[in-house]
């Protein structure tokens, strides 16, 4: 079966920075694919290129070389609306500039499906309500987005992405700034979406344990290059992570299960005294 | 649909209010015309005499200009607010009105001849001035494609001050006899304009409203930030250019025909947002009617408060708007250090 997303020899460089101290950033010859129904975890240190890659996959940025294909069609030939019908992003997004309700926010996800129409159609409202039901947001439909808690807002944005009825869902740090309970909720929601609807998911996260827990495969980016792609066991390798993150890392298998536990190998406090 | 029903309800209510205000304004003024005389003029029984002149040639055109200018300014406010993702944006605060005013006084230096030529010519000068000012504010205030509120407001004030100074320079070059008229216009006033000018004004305003209203749904998505809007399928660059053009056109048409009247674009959208919510598909048409009602009320007040003399309507809107702006600023930053 051909992959849903295929990235071949992808190159990207930001225009040369104006400040002399700023470092030039580039992605060079990235090649990977995402199979339909797969959860791919995208990990890597800060400024490894994770956000840039999301922007390239959603045509916010244009690659300087190589190609990205969605189900065999080059991204360059798809219009923004066509792309937004297939790829939805859950970004790290603050509340809207004006006081929109949850329902209004979720209905915005219907825009790519009915462009040129002034108001949404009844079927758009039905899809939006279904998306709110899937994320447990129906009760909060008429609440203003800026009054929601961090976890609720995250779920509202996931509902908006679901209203796009995408084939690929991209999440950018979905659990950042969320407490443990909301993290557990988001993990449960993503797992349900993947298993029950066969949603293909690209999960970008700093949390290696979360990424390992949810993903079929991990893609480790380092300074604009792919350091390794493979199963969580293959990628979460002590020596590799230590090299990429530049600090000692320990990876343990939790007893009784195949779960991996990644953490910084903290130096003992007593060692730092000298 | 919910939104469509609410739009109908809002437009019906505001439309009724507008007709009521306009009808009432026909009976109010410094000239001693009895209500009975007004009715007989409107009924067509009286076609000559002082009463007919006052009602048909003074009050009626003035009401038309007030409704048109107020609605246009309020829509310009909604557009600038959506564009900058900031409820404090307004054509006057952003310096765009001053730019347009500068364009108009430069245009007057050339003493454009007949009425209709003058109307079109001054509009063109005003539009050029508005575009220059808005472009300058945008270029100065934008950092990494974003418009931080403090920078935006400060830049708007600075650009506005610059163009005010430039206006002073041009005024000192003007013929002394024309000085009074220009100053009266600069304060914002709704002196009746000829039917031809009114038609030009209405056409420009209609074009501006169409540019904004036609993309009201996309403007809602812009509130999420540009990147999210792009990822939802909105061509954000084209949208911004179109709204920028539309809002500048709306602002400059008012400035050319009624002078720089401040704060209408701030007050009216804010009040309507409180009633209708932030959906631009409701807000833009509601602002068109609500702005008209607001400015007509302000102008009626300006005509009567110090009768038989009259104030410029810009004075009234500024006296309402300045405290309102302070209130909004305090509300927005309440609890934020």
């Amino acid at each position: 079966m051909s992959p849903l997303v295929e990235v071949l020899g992808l190159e990207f460089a930001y225009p040369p920075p104006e400040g002399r101290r700023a470092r030039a950033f580039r992605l060079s010859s990235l090649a990977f694919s995402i199979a339909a129904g797969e959860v791919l975890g995208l990990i890597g240190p800060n400024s490894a290129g994770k956000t840039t890659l999301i922007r390239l996959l959603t045509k916010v940025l244009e690659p300087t070389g190589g190609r990205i294909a969605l189900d065999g069609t080059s991204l360059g030939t798809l219009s923004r609306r066509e792309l937004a019908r297939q790829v939805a992003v859950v970004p790290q997004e603050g509340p809207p500039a004006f006081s929109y309700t949850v329902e209004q926010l979720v209905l915005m996800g219907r825009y790519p499906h009915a462009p040129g129409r002034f108001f949404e159609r009844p079927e758009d409202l039905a899809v939006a309500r279904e998306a709110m039901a899937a994320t447990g947001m129906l009760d909060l439909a008429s609440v203003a987005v800026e009054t929601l808690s961090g976890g609720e807002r995250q779920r509202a944005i996931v509902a908006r992405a679901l209203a796009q009825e995408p084939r690929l869902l991209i999440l950018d740090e979905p659990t950042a700034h969320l407490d443990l309970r909301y993290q557990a909720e988001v993990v449960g929601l993503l797992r349900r979406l993947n298993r029950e609807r066969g949603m293909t998911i690209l999960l970008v996260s700093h949390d290696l344990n979360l990424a390992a827990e949810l993903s079929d495969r991990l893609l480790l980016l380092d300074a604009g290059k792919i350091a390794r792609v493979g199963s969580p066991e293959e990628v979460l390798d002590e020596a590799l992570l230590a090299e990429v993150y530049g600090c000692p890392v320990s990876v343990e298998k939790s007893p009784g299960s195949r779960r991996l536990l990644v953490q910084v190998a903290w130096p003992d406090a007593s060692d730092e005294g000298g | 649909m919910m939104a469509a029903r609410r739009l109908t309800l809002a437009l019906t209510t505001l439309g009724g209010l507008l007709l009521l205000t306009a009808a009432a304004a026909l009976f109010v003024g410094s000239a001693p015309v009895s209500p009975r005389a007004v009715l007989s003029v409107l009924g067509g029984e009286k076609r000559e005499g002082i009463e007919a002149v006052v009602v048909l040639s003074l009050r009626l055109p003035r009401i038309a200009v007030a409704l048109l200018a107020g609605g246009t300014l309020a829509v310009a406010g909604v557009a600038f607010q959506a564009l900058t993702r900031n409820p404090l944006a307004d054509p006057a605060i952003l310096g765009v009105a001053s730019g347009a005013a500068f364009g108009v006084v430069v245009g007057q230096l050339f003493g454009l001849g007949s009425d209709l030529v003058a109307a079109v010519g001054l509009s063109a000068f005003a539009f050029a001035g508005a575009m220059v000012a808005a472009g300058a504010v945008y270029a100065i205030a934008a950092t990494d494609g974003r418009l931080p509120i403090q920078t935006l407001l400060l830049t708007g004030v600075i650009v506005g001050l610059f163009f005010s100074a430039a206006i002073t320079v041009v005024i000192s070059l003007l013929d002394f006899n024309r000085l009074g008229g220009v100053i009266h216009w600069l304060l914002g006033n709704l002196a009746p304009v000829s039917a031809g000018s009114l038609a030009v004004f209405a056409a420009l305003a209609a074009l501006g409203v169409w540019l904004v209203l036609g993309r009201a749904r996309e403007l809602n998505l812009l509130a999420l930030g540009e990147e999210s809007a792009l990822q939802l399928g909105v061509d954000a660059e084209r949208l911004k250019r179109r709204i920028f053009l539309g809002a500048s056109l709306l602002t400059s048409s008012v400035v050319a025909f009624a002078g720089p009247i401040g704060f209408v674009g701030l007050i009216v959208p804010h009040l309507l947002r409180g009633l209708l919510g932030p959906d631009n598909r409701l807000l833009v048409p509601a602002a068109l009617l609500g702005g008209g009602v607001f400015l007509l009320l302000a102008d009626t007040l300006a005509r009567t408060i110090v009768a038989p003399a009259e104030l410029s309507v810009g004075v009234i809107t500024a006296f309402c708007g300045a405290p309102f702006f302070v209130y909004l600023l305090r509300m927005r930053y309440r609890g934020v250090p």
Side-chain angles (χ1 to χ4, degrees), chain A residues 13-239:
Chain A
Y14 282 104
E18 285 170 31
R20 261 174 296 164
R21 289 192 195 164
R23 270 183 304 166
F25 172 81
R26 54 185 300 127
L27 288 177
S28 39
S29 48
L30 293 192
F32 66 93
S33 61
I34 309 175
E38 181 184 30
V39 180
L40 179 69
L42 179 58
I43 57 174
N46 291 334
S47 76
K50 303 190 294 291
T51 305
T52 304
L53 188 52
I54 295 181
R55 291 182 175 148
L56 287 164
L57 286 170
T58 53
K59 275 180 76 157
V60 172
L61 296 172
E62 295 286 338
T64 46
R67 86 180 208 125
I68 303 172
L70 188 69
D71 211 8
T73 312
S74 172
L75 232 55
T77 62
L78 288 173
S79 73
R80 282 196 189 288
R81 282 168 184 159
E82 285 168 333
L83 186 61
R85 286 199 286 266
Q86 303 196 55
V87 179
V89 185
V90 177
Q92 290 183 280
E93 181 183 278
F98 297 97
S99 185
Y100 286 98
T101 64
V102 170
E103 185 176 280
Q104 286 174 320
L105 182 80
V106 175
L107 275 172
M108 290 183 190
R110 296 304 297 164
Y111 172 72
H113 289 274
R117 291 189 69 95
F118 198 64
F119 288 112
E120 290 87 4
R121 302 159 299 176
E123 54 260 46
D124 293 322
L125 189 63
V127 174
R129 295 195 76 79
E130 204 260 335
M132 284 188 278
T135 51
M137 291 302 288
L138 259 187
D139 291 342
L140 298 170
S142 54
V143 172
V145 176
E146 78 262 21
T147 61
L148 299 177
S149 72
E152 290 164 345
R153 196 168 82 213
Q154 192 68 33
R155 272 156 41 201
I157 297 176
V158 173
R160 183 185 78 206
L162 292 182
Q164 286 173 256
E165 300 184 295
R167 302 171 69 191
L168 171 67
L169 182 64
I170 302 178
L171 298 110
D172 190 3
E173 301 283 355
T175 57
H177 316 298
L178 298 187
D179 67 25
L180 289 176
R181 190 185 123 207
Y182 286 121
Q183 289 190 25
E185 272 182 23
V186 170
V187 169
L189 174 62
L190 295 183
R191 186 162 275 155
R192 271 206 325 276
L193 288 175
N194 177 245
R195 294 203 177 144
E196 291 169 15
R197 304 187 182 199
M199 181 80 76
T200 310
I201 294 176
L202 177 64
L203 172 70
V204 179
S205 184
H206 266 304
D207 187 336
L208 303 185
N209 294 310
L210 175 94
E213 177 70 26
L214 276 169
S215 305
D216 299 311
R217 288 189 305 147
L218 293 180
L219 191 161
L220 176 64
L221 269 187
D222 180 27
K225 293 193 176 70
I226 294 178
R228 193 174 286 177
V229 196
S231 69
E233 290 78 14
E234 288 170 315
V235 175
L236 298 183
D237 172 88
E238 282 184 2

Side-chain angles (χ1 to χ4, degrees), chain B residues 16-31:
Chain B
L17 201 60
L18 186 138
L19 287 178
L20 214 66
T21 320
L26 273 177
F27 292 91
V28 181
S30 50

Side-chain angles (χ1 to χ4, degrees), chain B residues 170-194:
Chain B
V170 180
I171 285 180
S172 30
L173 303 176
L174 271 182
D175 175 4
F176 189 76
N177 292 329
R178 287 162 59 197
L179 207 54
V182 170
I183 290 190
H184 195 47
W185 165 83
L186 265 178
L187 291 171
N189 88 90
L190 301 171
V193 297
S194 72

